[in-house]
Coordinates of all heavy atoms in Angstrom, one line a residue:
Q280 N 1.4 -15.8 0.0 CA 1.9 -17.0 -0.5 C 0.7 -18.0 -1.1 O -0.4 -17.7 -0.7 CB 2.7 -17.8 0.5 CG 4.0 -17.2 0.9 CD 4.8 -18.2 1.7 OE1 4.2 -18.8 2.6 NE2 6.1 -18.0 1.7
A281 N 1.0 -18.9 -2.0 CA 0.1 -19.8 -2.3 C -0.6 -20.5 -1.2 O 0.1 -20.8 -0.2 CB 0.6 -20.9 -3.3
G282 N -2.0 -20.6 -1.3 CA -2.7 -21.2 -0.2 C -3.3 -20.1 0.7 O -4.1 -20.4 1.6
G283 N -2.7 -18.9 0.6 CA -3.1 -17.9 1.6 C -4.5 -17.3 1.1 O -5.1 -17.6 0.2
S284 N -4.8 -16.1 2.0 CA -6.0 -15.5 1.7 C -5.9 -13.9 1.6 O -4.9 -13.4 2.2 CB -7.0 -15.9 2.8 OG -7.4 -17.1 2.8
L285 N -6.7 -13.3 0.9 CA -6.8 -11.7 0.9 C -8.2 -11.4 0.9 O -8.9 -12.1 0.2 CB -6.0 -11.2 -0.3 CG -4.5 -11.1 -0.3 CD1 -3.9 -10.6 -1.6 CD2 -4.0 -10.2 0.9
R286 N -8.5 -10.1 1.4 CA -9.9 -9.7 1.3 C -9.7 -8.3 0.5 O -9.0 -7.3 1.1 CB -10.6 -9.5 2.6 CG -12.1 -9.0 2.3 CD -12.7 -9.0 3.6 NE -12.5 -7.7 4.3 CZ -13.3 -7.3 5.3 NH1 -14.6 -7.8 5.5 NH2 -13.0 -6.1 5.8
L287 N -10.3 -8.2 -0.7 CA -10.3 -6.9 -1.3 C -11.6 -6.2 -1.0 O -12.7 -6.7 -0.8 CB -10.3 -7.1 -2.9 CG -9.1 -8.1 -3.4 CD1 -9.3 -8.1 -5.0 CD2 -7.8 -7.4 -3.0
S288 N -11.4 -4.9 -1.0 CA -12.6 -3.9 -0.7 C -12.8 -3.0 -1.8 O -11.9 -2.6 -2.4 CB -12.4 -3.2 0.7 OG -12.3 -4.1 1.9
C289 N -14.0 -2.6 -2.1 CA -14.3 -1.6 -3.1 C -15.4 -0.7 -2.3 O -16.5 -1.1 -2.2 CB -15.0 -2.2 -4.2 SG -15.6 -1.2 -5.5
A290 N -14.9 0.5 -2.2 CA -15.7 1.6 -1.5 C -16.2 2.3 -2.6 O -15.7 3.0 -3.6 CB -14.9 2.5 -0.6
A291 N -17.7 2.4 -2.6 CA -18.5 3.0 -3.6 C -19.1 4.2 -3.2 O -19.6 4.4 -2.1 CB -19.5 2.1 -4.3
S292 N -19.0 5.4 -4.0 CA -19.6 6.6 -3.6 C -20.1 7.3 -4.8 O -19.9 7.0 -5.9 CB -18.7 7.5 -2.9 OG -17.5 7.8 -3.6
G293 N -21.0 8.4 -4.6 CA -21.4 9.2 -5.7 C -22.9 8.9 -6.0 O -23.5 9.8 -6.7
R294 N -23.5 7.8 -5.6 CA -24.9 7.7 -5.7 C -25.4 6.5 -5.1 O -24.5 5.8 -4.4 CB -25.3 7.5 -7.3 CG -24.6 6.3 -8.0 CD -24.9 6.2 -9.5 NE -24.5 7.5 -10.0 CZ -24.8 7.8 -11.3 NH1 -25.4 7.0 -12.0 NH2 -24.3 8.9 -11.8
T295 N -26.6 6.2 -5.1 CA -27.2 5.0 -4.5 C -27.1 3.7 -5.5 O -27.4 3.9 -6.7 CB -28.7 5.2 -4.1 OG1 -28.9 6.3 -3.3 CG2 -29.4 4.0 -3.4
F296 N -26.5 2.7 -4.9 CA -26.1 1.5 -5.8 C -27.1 0.3 -5.7 O -26.9 -0.7 -6.2 CB -24.7 1.1 -5.4 CG -23.7 2.1 -5.7 CD1 -23.4 3.1 -5.0 CD2 -23.2 2.1 -7.1 CE1 -22.3 4.1 -5.3 CE2 -22.1 3.0 -7.5 CZ -21.8 3.9 -6.6
T297 N -28.3 0.7 -5.2 CA -29.3 -0.5 -5.0 C -29.8 -1.0 -6.3 O -30.1 -2.2 -6.4 CB -30.4 -0.1 -4.2 OG1 -31.0 1.2 -4.7 CG2 -30.1 0.2 -2.7
S298 N -29.7 -0.3 -7.4 CA -30.0 -0.8 -8.5 C -28.9 -1.4 -9.5 O -29.1 -1.7 -10.7 CB -30.9 0.3 -9.4 OG -30.0 1.3 -9.7
Y299 N -27.8 -1.4 -9.0 CA -26.6 -1.8 -9.7 C -26.2 -3.2 -9.4 O -26.2 -3.9 -8.4 CB -25.3 -0.8 -9.2 CG -25.3 0.6 -9.9 CD1 -26.3 1.4 -9.5 CD2 -24.4 0.8 -10.8 CE1 -26.2 2.7 -10.1 CE2 -24.3 2.1 -11.3 CZ -25.2 3.0 -11.0 OH -25.3 4.2 -11.6
Y300 N -25.5 -3.7 -10.5 CA -24.6 -4.9 -10.4 C -23.3 -4.5 -10.1 O -22.8 -3.5 -10.7 CB -24.6 -5.7 -11.6 CG -26.0 -6.4 -11.9 CD1 -27.0 -5.7 -12.5 CD2 -26.2 -7.7 -11.5 CE1 -28.2 -6.3 -12.8 CE2 -27.5 -8.2 -11.7 CZ -28.4 -7.7 -12.4 OH -29.6 -8.2 -12.5
M301 N -22.5 -5.0 -9.1 CA -21.2 -4.8 -8.8 C -20.4 -6.0 -9.1 O -20.7 -7.1 -8.8 CB -21.0 -4.5 -7.3 CG -21.9 -3.4 -6.8 SD -21.5 -1.8 -7.5 CE -20.0 -1.5 -6.9
G302 N -19.3 -5.8 -9.8 CA -18.5 -6.9 -10.3 C -17.0 -6.7 -10.0 O -16.5 -5.7 -9.6
W303 N -16.3 -7.8 -9.8 CA -14.8 -7.9 -9.8 C -14.3 -8.6 -11.0 O -14.8 -9.6 -11.4 CB -14.4 -8.7 -8.5 CG -14.7 -8.0 -7.2 CD1 -15.6 -8.1 -6.4 CD2 -13.7 -7.0 -6.7 NE1 -15.5 -7.3 -5.2 CE2 -14.2 -6.6 -5.5 CE3 -12.5 -6.5 -7.1 CZ2 -13.6 -5.6 -4.6 CZ3 -11.9 -5.5 -6.3 CH2 -12.6 -5.2 -5.2
F304 N -13.4 -7.9 -11.7 CA -12.6 -8.4 -12.8 C -11.1 -8.4 -12.5 O -10.7 -7.8 -11.5 CB -13.0 -7.6 -13.9 CG -14.3 -7.7 -14.6 CD1 -15.5 -7.0 -13.9 CD2 -14.7 -8.4 -15.6 CE1 -16.7 -7.1 -14.4 CE2 -16.0 -8.5 -16.0 CZ -17.1 -7.8 -15.5
R305 N -10.4 -9.1 -13.2 CA -8.9 -9.1 -13.1 C -8.3 -9.2 -14.4 O -8.8 -9.7 -15.4 CB -8.4 -10.2 -12.2 CG -8.7 -11.6 -12.9 CD -8.4 -12.8 -11.9 NE -8.6 -14.1 -12.4 CZ -8.8 -15.2 -11.6 NH1 -8.6 -15.1 -10.4 NH2 -8.9 -16.3 -12.2
Q306 N -7.0 -8.6 -14.4 CA -6.3 -8.7 -15.7 C -4.8 -9.0 -15.2 O -4.1 -8.2 -14.6 CB -6.3 -7.3 -16.3 CG -5.7 -7.4 -17.8 CD -6.0 -6.2 -18.6 OE1 -6.6 -5.1 -18.0 NE2 -6.0 -6.4 -19.9
A307 N -4.4 -10.1 -15.9 CA -2.9 -10.6 -15.7 C -2.1 -10.0 -16.9 O -2.7 -9.7 -18.0 CB -2.9 -12.1 -15.6
P308 N -0.8 -9.8 -16.6 CA 0.0 -9.3 -17.7 C -0.2 -10.1 -18.9 O 0.0 -11.3 -18.9 CB 1.4 -9.5 -17.1 CG 1.2 -9.3 -15.6 CD -0.1 -10.1 -15.4
G309 N -0.3 -9.4 -20.1 CA -0.4 -10.1 -21.4 C -1.7 -10.8 -21.5 O -1.9 -11.5 -22.6
K310 N -2.8 -10.6 -20.6 CA -4.0 -11.3 -20.9 C -5.1 -10.3 -20.9 O -5.1 -9.2 -20.5 CB -4.2 -12.4 -19.7 CG -3.3 -13.4 -19.7 CD -3.6 -14.5 -18.8 CE -2.7 -15.8 -18.9 NZ -3.0 -16.8 -17.9
E311 N -6.3 -10.8 -21.3 CA -7.5 -9.9 -21.4 C -8.0 -9.8 -19.9 O -7.8 -10.7 -19.2 CB -8.4 -10.4 -22.4 CG -8.1 -10.3 -23.8 CD -9.1 -10.7 -24.8 OE1 -10.2 -11.1 -24.3 OE2 -9.0 -10.6 -26.0
R312 N -8.8 -8.8 -19.8 CA -9.5 -8.7 -18.5 C -10.6 -9.7 -18.4 O -11.2 -10.0 -19.4 CB -10.2 -7.2 -18.4 CG -10.8 -7.0 -17.0 CD -11.1 -5.5 -16.9 NE -9.9 -4.6 -17.1 CZ -10.0 -3.4 -16.8 NH1 -11.1 -2.7 -16.5 NH2 -8.8 -2.6 -16.9
E313 N -10.7 -10.3 -17.2 CA -11.7 -11.5 -17.1 C -12.6 -11.3 -15.9 O -12.2 -10.7 -14.9 CB -11.0 -12.8 -17.1 CG -10.1 -13.0 -15.9 CD -9.5 -14.4 -15.8 OE1 -9.8 -15.3 -16.7 OE2 -8.8 -14.8 -14.9
F314 N -13.7 -11.9 -16.0 CA -14.7 -11.8 -14.9 C -14.3 -12.7 -13.8 O -13.8 -13.9 -14.0 CB -16.1 -12.3 -15.6 CG -17.1 -12.5 -14.5 CD1 -17.9 -11.6 -13.8 CD2 -17.5 -13.9 -14.0 CE1 -18.8 -11.8 -13.0 CE2 -18.4 -14.0 -13.1 CZ -19.1 -13.0 -12.6
V315 N -14.5 -12.3 -12.6 CA -14.3 -13.0 -11.4 C -15.5 -13.3 -10.6 O -15.8 -14.5 -10.3 CB -13.3 -12.3 -10.5 CG1 -13.0 -13.0 -9.2 CG2 -11.9 -12.0 -11.1

């Protein structure tokens, strides 16, 4: 519900990620993907 909370998780594997930037993006119906 509006006003509530959620926690998203992203489990990464396959290499060491210390040199990486990690991002969250979102895409709503009919809209372009956008940076979060």
Side-chain angles (χ1 to χ4, degrees):
Q280 287 190 331
S284 298
L285 281 174
R286 188 178 77 159
L287 305 184
S288 300
C289 172
S292 62
R294 63 183 57 187
T295 302
F296 290 90
T297 51
S298 60
Y299 278 71
Y300 289 88
M301 304 296 293
W303 285 98
F304 291 77
R305 66 188 179 191
Q306 188 165 19
K310 295 189 176 181
E311 292 187 356
R312 190 170 297 189
E313 65 174 359
F314 170 77
V315 176

